[in-house]
Amino acid sequence: MDVVVKPDDVSEAIEALAGNGYIHEGNLGIEGREAFKYEGKKYLQTHHLYVCPEDSAELKRHLAFRDYLRRHPQDKEKYGNVKLGAARKYPDDIEKYIEYKSPVIEEIYASMGITK
């Protein structure tokens, strides 16, 4: 899930999310997004959260991925299935969850002509 903010409002968004149980992790090596994690709050385990400035290249990449899936139902189904499989296999380990679904994401990016 992306929280989209004006470039000057990133710090304010980070502070607001910290007040709601999110732990800021920095950009984790990817410019144009700020990642968050959570600990001990099962209700937050339904999503992976980023704050993105509205002008960031990373946000544009996220939106391109979303739009691609909307136009390609077979890839959308494949991605949905791998996410469900990852959630079943790793319900309490976000890192393993991400690792499990990463090959499908990379495959979709390649279909889009995007390399990381």
Side-chain angles (χ1 to χ4, degrees):
M1 181 183 329
D2 292 333
V3 175
V4 181
V5 297
K6 302 255 183 237
D8 292 340
D9 293 339
V10 172
S11 295
E12 184 178 340
I14 290 169
E15 289 178 29
L17 289 165
N20 284 298
Y22 290 96
I23 300 164
H24 181 227
E25 297 184 285
N27 69 14
L28 301 177
I30 299 176
E31 292 297 322
R33 68 152 204 209
E34 298 294 324
F36 293 82
K37 67 178 182 175
Y38 34 79
E39 292 175 357
K41 297 182 190 274
K42 284 278 193 191
Y43 66 93
L44 294 179
Q45 208 161 334
T46 60
H47 56 279
H48 203 150
L49 185 70
Y50 301 106
V51 168
C52 299
E54 64 187 1
D55 61 352
S56 81
E58 184 64 10
L59 175 62
K60 290 178 176 112
R61 192 171 66 87
H62 289 188
L63 294 174
F65 187 81
R66 177 204 64 194
D67 294 345
Y68 177 88
L69 292 178
R70 287 178 175 172
R71 291 187 313 273
H72 297 87
Q74 288 177 308
D75 285 337
K76 176 183 167 183
E77 184 175 347
K78 183 176 186 176
Y79 180 58
N81 288 337
V82 80
K83 284 178 60 103
L84 289 172
R88 280 194 286 273
K89 193 166 182 156
Y90 303 107
D92 299 316
D93 188 336
I94 190 67
E95 298 305 323
K96 290 282 189 188
Y97 168 84
I98 292 167
E99 183 180 317
Y100 186 87
K101 67 182 189 141
S102 288
V104 171
I105 293 170
E106 295 303 321
E107 181 182 312
I108 292 170
Y109 280 145
S111 295
M112 296 169 61
I114 295 174
T115 57
K116 267 187 135 178

